[in-house]
C-alpha cells in the first residue's frame, strides 16, 4: 500500500506558472461529467494528454503540456520515482452543485499510479478519500501545491461547499 504526500517539490517558476496561467480566469476549461454522459456529476476539465484508449496518436492535447510535464518531472526528481509510461494528464475544476461527493472510482481498469497536485487554495473539507476494500485508508486535505501519489485504489472527492477546487491529475505506470 503506497500513499505519499509531498509539499515541497515545485520550483518557484512552476508555482508562478500555476498562479499566472492555470488559476487565471482565462484558462480554458471544458464541461465534463464523471462516469456518465448526462452531466449528473459535472466538472470542468482541461485535458492535456488523453487516456490511451481515446488517443488517435501520442500527441498532447494542450499548449500547456510542457508546463505539466515539468511539474511531473519535479515530483519525480524530489521523490525518486520513475514514470515509465504516461497514461493521462488532466486539470479538473470542481465546484458545489448540490452533491456531497463524487463517484468512487479508479482512473483505469488496470494497475497504475496516480499523482494529484492541488493547484489552488480551496475548501479544506474538499478532501480526496482513498479506499481499500471499501474502507477509508486515507483522507487527504487539499493544500495548494501539494502532491499526492498513490497506487490504483478506489477513491472519491468531497465537493467544495464554497469556492472551487483545481487539481492536476496524472496517471502512469
Amino acid at each position: 500500500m503506497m500513499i505519499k504526500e509531498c509539499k515541497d517539490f515545485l520550483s518557484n517558476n512552476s508555482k508562478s506558472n500555476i498562479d499566472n496561467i492555470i488559476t487565471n480566469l482565462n484558462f480554458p476549461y471544458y464541461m465534463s461529467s464523471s462516469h456518465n454522459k448526462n452531466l449528473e456529476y459535472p466538472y470542468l476539465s482541461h485535458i492535456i494528454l488523453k487516456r490511451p484508449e481515446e488517443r488517435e496518436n501520442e500527441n498532447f492535447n494542450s499548449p500547456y503540456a510542457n508546463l505539466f510535464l515539468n511539474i511531473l518531472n519535479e515530483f519525480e526528481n524530489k521523490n525518486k520515482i520513475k514514470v515509465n509510461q504516461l497514461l493521462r494528464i488532466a486539470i479538473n475544476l470542481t465546484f458545489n452543485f448540490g452533491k456531497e461527493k463524487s463517484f468512487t472510482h479508479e482512473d483505469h481498469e488496470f494497475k497504475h499510479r496516480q499523482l494529484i497536485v492541488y493547484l489552488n487554495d480551496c475548501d479544506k473539507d474538499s478532501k480526496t478519500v482513498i479506499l481499500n476494500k471499501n474502507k477509508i485508508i486515507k483522507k487527504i486535505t487539499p493544500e495548494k501545491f501539494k502532491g499526492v501519489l498513490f497506487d490504483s485504489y478506489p477513491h472519491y472527492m468531497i465537493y467544495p461547499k464554497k469556492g472551487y477546487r483545481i487539481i492536476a491529475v496524472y496517471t502512469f505506470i
Side-chain angles (χ1 to χ4, degrees), residues 93-109:
L93 186 152
T94 52
F95 46 86
N96 184 332
F97 64 95
K99 303 277 186 188
E100 179 185 345
K101 65 184 187 78
S102 69
F103 287 101
T104 298
H105 65 281
E106 291 184 54
D107 285 41
H108 301 283
E109 294 179 5

Side-chain angles (χ1 to χ4, degrees), residues 3-107:
I3 302 171
K4 180 174 185 65
E5 295 183 53
C6 183
K7 296 181 187 179
D8 61 345
F9 70 95
L10 288 172
S11 67
N12 288 335
N13 187 51
S14 288
K15 290 177 183 179
S16 177
N17 283 331
I18 290 166
D19 284 341
N20 294 320
I21 297 170
I22 307 310
T23 60
N24 184 301
L25 293 177
N26 294 317
F27 188 76
Y29 291 100
Y30 303 90
M31 185 66 87
S32 295
S33 183
S34 296
H35 303 281
N36 59 32
K37 303 286 186 213
N38 65 8
L39 295 178
E40 183 180 354
Y41 287 80
Y43 63 97
L44 300 175
S45 188
H46 182 96
I47 305 299
I48 293 179
L49 180 64
K50 292 180 181 181
R51 296 171 185 273
E53 64 272 18
E54 296 171 349
R55 286 185 222 155
E56 293 180 19
N57 56 44
E58 292 295 318
N59 293 333
F60 288 92
N61 192 55
S62 169
Y64 303 101
N66 284 335
L67 167 61
F68 284 94
L69 289 171
N70 287 339
I71 290 170
L72 178 61
N73 187 45
E74 289 172 354
F75 190 89
E76 282 181 281
N77 291 338
K78 173 71 177 183
N79 293 282
K80 297 178 178 32
I81 64 163
K82 174 99 172 101
V83 172
N84 295 311
Q85 181 185 0
L86 191 52
L87 301 170
R88 174 176 167 252
I89 306 172
I91 312 308
N92 294 339
L93 186 152
T94 52
F95 46 86
N96 184 332
F97 64 95
K99 303 277 186 188
E100 179 185 345
K101 65 184 187 78
S102 69
F103 287 101
T104 298
H105 65 281
E106 291 184 54
D107 285 41

Side-chain angles (χ1 to χ4, degrees), residues 103-119:
F103 287 101
T104 298
H105 65 281
E106 291 184 54
D107 285 41
H108 301 283
E109 294 179 5
F110 50 86
K111 288 191 180 282
H112 63 281
R113 297 177 105 183
Q114 181 156 334
L115 171 63
I116 295 174
V117 180
Y118 298 93
L119 302 178

Side-chain angles (χ1 to χ4, degrees), residues 23 25 93-96 120-123 160 162-166:
T23 60
L25 293 177
L93 186 152
T94 52
F95 46 86
N96 184 332
N120 72 322
D121 287 316
C122 67
D123 181 348
K162 59 185 184 276
Y164 54 91
R165 174 180 120 151
I166 305 173

